[in-house]
Amino acid sequence: MKNEFIRFKLAKWRTLVGILQILGGLGLINGVFVSNILVVISAGGLALLMLIGFVTRLHIKDSVIASSPAFIFMIINSLLVFAFSTT
């Protein structure tokens, strides 16, 4: 992953992205047991991270296939936001 961030020209953001991803994952796990709003906030943040990742990969001219995992995870997190914000 370190080489990927260098290739994206985002090496200085690697630590922040990792921390945000860990916090998002922990928020999802805890939110299921604690509060729906925590799931909504965590999934929304992860969806935003995945959107930025998808756009970044397209910007550096990666193929749509190589970029698709970020897009799929963005969709999944967006569905979680919708599902938990309506309950």
Side-chain angles (χ1 to χ4, degrees):
M1 288 308 297
K2 186 175 182 178
N3 290 336
E4 288 292 295
F5 273 85
I6 292 168
R7 185 170 71 95
F8 301 153
K9 297 184 173 99
L10 297 171
K12 66 181 179 181
W13 298 102
R14 186 172 63 99
T15 302
L16 176 63
V17 170
I19 290 169
L20 291 174
Q21 288 177 341
I22 290 169
L23 288 174
L26 290 173
L28 286 176
I29 293 167
N30 288 323
V32 170
F33 301 107
V34 177
S35 169
N36 285 353
I37 191 68
L38 188 54
V39 174
V40 171
I41 292 168
S42 299
L46 288 170
L48 181 62
L49 279 172
M50 293 299 104
L51 174 63
I52 293 168
F54 179 69
V55 170
T56 299
R57 283 187 163 270
L58 293 179
H59 180 72
I60 65 167
K61 309 249 188 293
D62 275 357
S63 70
V64 174
I65 300 290
S67 307
S68 64
F71 184 77
I72 292 167
F73 285 121
M74 180 192 69
I75 296 298
I76 291 169
N77 280 293
S78 298
L79 290 171
L80 286 172
V81 169
F82 177 75
F84 279 84
S85 64
T86 58
T87 58

